Amino acid sequence: MALPRSVSVANAQDLTAALWTRASFPVENFQTYTSPFGYRSDPYSGSSRFHYGLDLAAPNGSYIRNWWAGEVLWVEGDGACGTSMAIKSGEWTHIYCHMQGHVEGSGQNKVMVDRDGGIQLRAGQAIPAGARIGRVGMTGRTTGPHLHWGLKYQDNWVDPGMVLRAMYVGQQAAL
């Protein structure tokens, strides 16, 4: 975020803290972090591979909340990410993987559907911060129920753990 030169350091810190109050923690019933961003031992092959997100364990069926207000960029139902979606919020893209439900349709008409969770989302749909967008599942390549949460800023991968720490500090400062 670029601020005018006339903004003092103290005011800039207050503005940054207030900004983080717009964000929402991405999973209900959070239990623990099971795999960090960065290199790790792949749970299937044992080889060292880069993990482009943060795994947040929660009971199967726990609701997933939209981190920041934005628009659904895509929904997918195949591959290692399983039932998944990306939401675009300005220069941020947030990716949610291993969700319950499935994808219906094809091309521009794909819809992520979780009937039991009461969720149906499609590309182009506006989603407010904190809205329920899915439920924790085990679709795709996973060893247990969790949300794999990935973040990109200006198309560059960012460690979601660092973002969660900044959110916490900013939200505490805004109290």
Side-chain angles (χ1 to χ4, degrees), residues 92-114:
W92 290 93
T93 303
H94 24 127
I95 300 155
Y96 305 83
C97 299
H98 310 304
M99 297 162 62
Q100 289 193 9
H102 63 280
V103 173
E104 296 177 357
S106 62
Q108 297 298 322
N109 297 318
K110 287 183 184 177
V111 179
M112 193 283 286
V113 178
D114 176 0

Side-chain angles (χ1 to χ4, degrees), residues 64 74-86 95-104 111-115 119 121 133-142 146-148:
I64 297 166
W74 52 257
V75 296
E76 289 294 331
D78 298 324
C81 209
T83 302
S84 55
M85 72 171 50
I95 300 155
Y96 305 83
C97 299
H98 310 304
M99 297 162 62
Q100 289 193 9
H102 63 280
V103 173
E104 296 177 357
V111 179
M112 193 283 286
V113 178
D114 176 0
R115 284 184 181 78
I119 296 176
L121 298 170
I133 58 171
R135 292 185 304 146
V136 169
M138 288 186 55
T139 60
R141 193 171 162 229
T142 180
H146 71 279
L147 168 65
H148 169 93

